[in-house]
Structure formats: C-alpha cells, structure tokens
Amino acid sequence: MTDKTMRYTDQERDTLRNSAMGAMMLVSKSDPGIMSTIKEMFAGSKALRSASPEMQDIFKGGGSMPKMPKGSQADMENNVMSMLQQSMQILQKNPQDQQNFRSTIMNVCDQVAKAQGGVSENETAMINKIRSALGG
C-alpha cells in the first residue's frame, strides 16, 4: 500500500471497492444472460486491473473480498448508488484520487457494457445513473 492510499481507512477502502464492484455488477445485470454476465465480469475485472497503481492499491484494501449488494434489483441499485456517492465524499480528501476513481469506474462500466455484442439501451441507462451518482 502506498503512502497516498494510507489516508483512507479500511472501512473507506471497503466502500470504494464495494461500490466499484457494485457498479460493474449493475451494468452487467442490465443485459441479462449467463454468457453475457461471464464475459462482462471478465471485461470489468480486466479494466480494474488496468487502473492506476493508486486505484489498484485502494481497491485491494485490507484484503477482504468485496461484498455484493443483496435484495431486489431496486434495493441493489439504491445501495450501489449510495456507495458511489459515499465514495465521492470519501475521495474529497484528494481531488486527484476522486478524478481517478470516477474515470476508472466509468471505464469499467463502458468495458462491461461493450463486452457482449455492443451496448444495450438498458446498459446505457444504467451507465448514466452511475455517472450521475459519481457527480459527472
């Protein structure tokens, strides 16, 4: 972990990591189908691995696995959007991290959406909701 990421607590890094994984999951679930989901999750994971070293350190966090939101589709969406908004508040500590996070999440969402035969209307709508939650 770098000195830059030490400014975030384990709980804050958990929120950042869970919101990233949640955003990826919401876009993937917007275009149903088991093969779509598998391809999309691989594409999202690859996009996360290509994030800046600082973002990778933040996403690695304290070693705990990301927690996927539970409940109805609406509950999951509300939970993830709330975590994304919390993430942006957490990252106010460092505007560069905030911008890197926003760019990383949007790249991940785009890669997930493009992974299986193009971007659907449902995926576009979800990406727009995520962009809005990130303040963009």
Side-chain angles (χ1 to χ4, degrees), residues 39-102:
K39 286 182 179 182
E40 290 170 346
M41 296 310 277
F42 277 119
S45 295
K46 183 178 177 182
L48 282 175
R49 285 191 308 273
S50 71
S52 71
E54 293 83 12
M55 284 295 105
Q56 289 182 30
D57 281 350
I58 289 171
F59 291 141
K60 288 177 187 170
S64 65
M65 294 297 291
K67 293 177 179 63
M68 292 291 101
K70 296 181 179 160
S72 69
Q73 180 67 25
D75 290 341
M76 289 188 287
E77 185 177 323
N78 288 335
N79 188 6
V80 171
M81 296 305 166
S82 176
M83 283 191 296
L84 288 167
Q85 291 167 344
Q86 290 172 28
S87 294
M88 295 310 286
Q89 291 172 349
I90 290 166
L91 293 167
Q92 285 179 342
K93 295 176 184 181
N94 184 311
Q96 183 63 42
D97 286 350
Q98 193 179 50
Q99 182 57 40
N100 283 342
F101 181 81
R102 182 182 291 119

Side-chain angles (χ1 to χ4, degrees), residues 110 124 129 135:
D110 288 341
T124 299
K129 288 180 183 180

